Every structure is written in structure tokens, then in C-alpha cells.
Amino acid sequence: MTEGTGAGGMSELGTAERGAEAKAPLPDRVSEAPDTGHEPEAPEEPEAPDGPEQPDDLVEPEEPGEPELERAFLGDAFSKLRDTLVGPREPAEGPVDRYAVVERPDFNAMKIPDFDVSLFEYGKPLERPDGQRTPLFDGSPRREQTEQGKLGDCGVIATMGAVATHFPEAISECVKENEDGTYEVTLHQVEKKYSGGLTQCEPNGAVTVLTITPDLVVQYDQPGKPAYGRAGAEPVAWPSVLEKAFAGVDQTWEEDLSDKASGYERLDKGTRPSHRAEMLTQLTGRPAYTEDIPTQYDMNGVSPDRQLLSMFREKLDAGCPILIGTRKIGKDEGPLPKGLVDGHVYEVTGVDERGLIQLRNPHNLNHPTLTAKELRANSRPDFTTMG
């Protein structure tokens, strides 16, 4: 699901080079580091206004509707491996297990040349001042332990949170801690099928094993806390480690795609419904797919609102995650209702007896509740689920 493996062109502020950046006293006017995850709008798209409470990092990319777009994120990353990496266990015919080391994926350092300062840099926030390390888990993984930081990867964080709640054992089995201080993340390789603009993802029987170093991106003035995906108020490491694994997937590519975004910069571009279906299968080893949101009465005379509520209830009762993306707002359009953030990904967590749909914001705050009509009017035309 990446567009490349080389440094991205993230404005004149540039992309961080590996290694520590020189520091200087941070001037007052930049002491509060800005959010870095905003996705540049396509030329034909109006620019969405900034909300007063939410960071400007939540834009979800438009879906052209062709299989070609799938190369924009994790896509075929798990079917290819650089020749310089450790070879597969099996013969080359058919799916094979892959291996790679993820050290320091590219990110936007937000450099300020006049002050010789980078607002973001690599550090080791999982190492505590008392010499101990942040534990990988504290009981069973939960969605509340995932929180979007200063990166526009709401779809990644929402998907991780949904899997943590519906399939916590998948997270526990996916992420391990090694004796040498690194981590091991095992992701299922995915085979995709396309039909009528929808995507179906299935495991192909092979896995990709990524060794993750403990280096994480931190904010200049908060070196003890991950700047991107984190665990909120709970001291566990798995959300940051798993997010870094997704950022590092492009290290398994063999093509020269150096003119494309890679690493965290790739995640910062957002996800589409098909990407989130792929991540669900990568994490769980189970089929996932995208589905259209109903727009018309069906052949039995059931309204689209009732169809949607029935679909959501059926999936949640079966323990299946549901992920939806909100639409973008126009230049002269007001904000979306109920505090919805435009171009953002939410997890559907429940449908109550009144038919109200409960959503979870991966920022771990401002979780809206909508009617089926409100959700249909303000979301993308398709959603992601499993089954």
C-alpha cells in the first residue's frame, strides 16, 4: 500500500535524514510543534477549512475506483522482497514468507533552517527514565489503547483499534518483543480480488515477518513520548510498534520507486476503504472486503436507512469490525454535523435500540453518534468490514 521506497517531497521543510539532527534553542514562536499530517489537496478538490478543535491531519484520499490505485499503499508489498534481504523459506513458486528489518522509515522532520532545528526527530521514547521499557502489552489489547498522533494515518489507527477489540488475540500474536530489544511483527500476505468497484481481500497462506527497531519519531520538546501512533494514557508499546511496521512495509519492495513517498510519509497520505480491508486481513489472516452503503429502497421495499442499520447490526453481532470514512466538504460548505471531521476515518462501535450509530474517533476524543440518514449523507459511498 505504498507509493514508493525513497524520500518523499514534503515541501521545503524536507524529509529527515537518518541520524540525529543538530539542535538549537527553539524560539517561542515555534515552541508548539504544528501537526504534520495534512494531505495536500488535489488540484480539482476544494480545500477543507480547519476545525477549531481537530488537528489538520485527517484528510482521506479520493478513491478513483480502479484496481490500479491499490499500489498507493501496502498493496503488493508482501509479494516482493529486495534481493539483498534474507531469502524465503520456500521455493519461489507460489506465496512465500518474507523477511525485512525496519529501522528508521522516512518522516517529515519539519526543519526550520533559520534556527537549525527539526521539530521532529528519532528517539527512544519506549525507554523509561527508570531504565525500564514500556511494556508491549498490559492485558488484552483494546481499541482505547490506540490513539492517532501528529500523522494523517487515521485509517491505520482506526483499523488497529478495531482489530484490537474484535480480535485481540490477533494483535497479541502479531507483535512480539525480542531479547535484543527489537520487536517482531508478523503480517499475513494478501490476495486481492476486484468486482464492481469493490475489493475483497483474502490471506494467501504466507506471512511477512518484520524486525522493528525501538527507534520512534518524537517531537522536539517531548522526547519521552511517541509523536505518531501511541497508546494514549495507557503505557503500552504495541500501537507505536505496529504503526511503525506499516510505515516500514516499503522496505520489502524491490522496485526503484524513489520518487514516491515512503515510510511514515506514505502513511501520512491517508488510506482508502480497500487499504483498510487489506490491513484487516494482514492483521487477522481473515477475509475482509469493501461494501457499498445503501442508497435506494431494495426489492422488498426496505429503506436505505433500515438496510444500513441491519447490515451494521449483523456485522457487529458477528464480531466483525466496521470502518467508515467521512466525505470532504466543499469550499463554501459548513462543517459536517455532530462534530464529524471531514475526510476522516471512524470505527463503527455500535447501533443502539433507537437506531443511532456510534462512532469511535481514532484521536480518542469526540466520538459522535449519528442517525443512519446522517451517516449516509456525510460518509463515503462504501465502508470496510469482514466476513
Side-chain angles (χ1 to χ4, degrees):
M1 293 189 325
T2 178
E3 289 194 357
T5 60
M10 294 293 290
S11 82
E12 71 279 3
L13 295 179
T15 301
E17 299 177 355
R18 300 191 180 191
E21 298 290 338
K23 292 186 179 180
L26 194 60
D28 292 340
R29 65 185 178 91
V30 294
S31 60
E32 290 296 324
D35 226 333
T36 63
H38 177 69
E39 178 193 358
E41 297 287 343
E44 68 273 11
E45 291 291 335
E47 183 176 354
D50 296 337
E53 298 295 334
Q54 295 286 349
D56 189 20
D57 65 350
L58 309 173
V59 179
E60 180 180 0
E62 292 299 308
E63 179 125 33
E66 295 294 333
E68 176 186 3
L69 64 87
E70 296 311 319
R71 59 192 291 270
F73 205 64
L74 291 183
D76 295 330
F78 295 153
S79 66
K80 301 169 182 176
L81 181 67
R82 294 181 187 273
D83 294 336
T84 56
L85 298 177
V86 179
R89 297 176 188 166
E90 306 174 20
E93 295 80 7
V96 295
D97 294 348
R98 306 293 186 183
Y99 302 86
V101 177
V102 179
E103 297 181 293
R104 293 190 167 191
D106 289 335
F107 71 107
N108 187 1
M110 295 290 290
K111 293 181 179 179
I112 306 178
D114 290 347
F115 295 93
D116 195 21
V117 166
S118 293
L119 298 186
F120 296 92
E121 60 192 6
Y122 269 103
K124 296 187 182 295
L126 300 182
E127 296 181 359
R128 297 176 173 179
D130 61 4
Q132 301 297 313
R133 300 186 73 190
T134 299
L136 188 59
F137 298 107
D138 182 11
S140 182
R142 301 181 300 280
R143 67 166 62 96
E144 293 78 14
Q145 294 177 329
T146 61
E147 181 175 300
Q148 184 182 357
K150 298 182 181 299
L151 195 69
D153 64 343
C154 49
V156 175
I157 303 302
T159 301
M160 287 165 42
V163 172
T165 293
H166 291 278
F167 302 99
E169 71 285 352
I171 300 293
S172 300
E173 295 170 0
C174 166
V175 187
K176 306 290 184 182
E177 190 167 6
N178 298 323
E179 293 183 358
D180 63 358
T182 63
Y183 302 89
E184 182 177 282
V185 174
T186 302
L187 300 174
H188 298 270
Q189 295 181 27
V190 176
E191 177 182 351
K192 290 185 177 181
K193 299 178 181 178
Y194 306 95
S195 176
L198 300 177
T199 304
Q200 181 174 347
C201 297
E202 296 182 358
N204 69 8
V207 296
T208 292
V209 181
L210 302 173
T211 299
I212 312 296
T213 66
D215 309 74
L216 295 173
V217 177
V218 298
Q219 190 168 302
Y220 181 96
D221 55 350
Q222 299 181 35
K225 180 170 80 169
Y228 298 158
R230 50 200 179 213
E234 301 189 44
V236 291
W238 74 262
S240 298
V241 173
L242 191 52
E243 181 193 46
K244 183 178 177 181
F246 281 120
V249 163
D250 46 46
Q251 297 190 26
T252 65
W253 283 34
E254 63 184 13
E255 296 95 339
D256 180 11
L257 299 171
S258 57
D259 60 333
K260 309 294 185 179
S262 68
Y264 287 110
E265 291 187 353
R266 167 172 51 80
L267 299 190
D268 198 37
K269 291 181 176 294
T271 60
R272 300 177 182 139
S274 57
H275 302 150
R276 299 189 283 275
E278 184 173 16
M279 285 189 289
L280 287 174
T281 299
Q282 289 166 346
L283 290 170
T284 66
R286 300 167 183 247
Y289 62 96
T290 61
E291 181 66 87
D292 286 331
I293 289 180
T295 59
Q296 300 178 348
Y297 282 79
D298 67 12
M299 297 183 63
N300 296 317
V302 179
S303 72
D305 289 347
R306 289 177 55 196
Q307 293 177 54
L308 183 65
L309 293 175
S310 178
M311 293 167 69
F312 281 2
R313 285 188 173 120
E314 179 182 354
K315 284 299 177 185
L316 293 174
D317 288 346
C320 298
I322 303 173
L323 299 159
I324 64 104
T326 56
R327 64 181 180 87
K328 295 181 181 179
I329 59 177
K331 181 182 295 185
D332 299 323
E333 186 180 2
L336 298 183
K338 303 291 184 68
L340 279 174
V341 180
D342 71 303
H344 193 39
V345 179
Y346 292 84
E347 179 194 354
V348 177
T349 59
V351 179
D352 67 18
E353 66 280 358
R354 300 169 296 171
L356 295 178
I357 300 170
Q358 298 150 2
L359 303 181
R360 192 241 172 189
N361 187 338
H363 274 285
N364 255 347
L365 77 167
N366 300 336
H367 308 298
T369 299
L370 308 176
T371 66
K373 186 178 298 295
E374 289 171 332
L375 188 142
R376 289 195 308 109
N378 295 286
S379 66
R380 294 176 58 93
D382 50 354
F383 64 93
T384 306
T385 187
M386 300 181 69

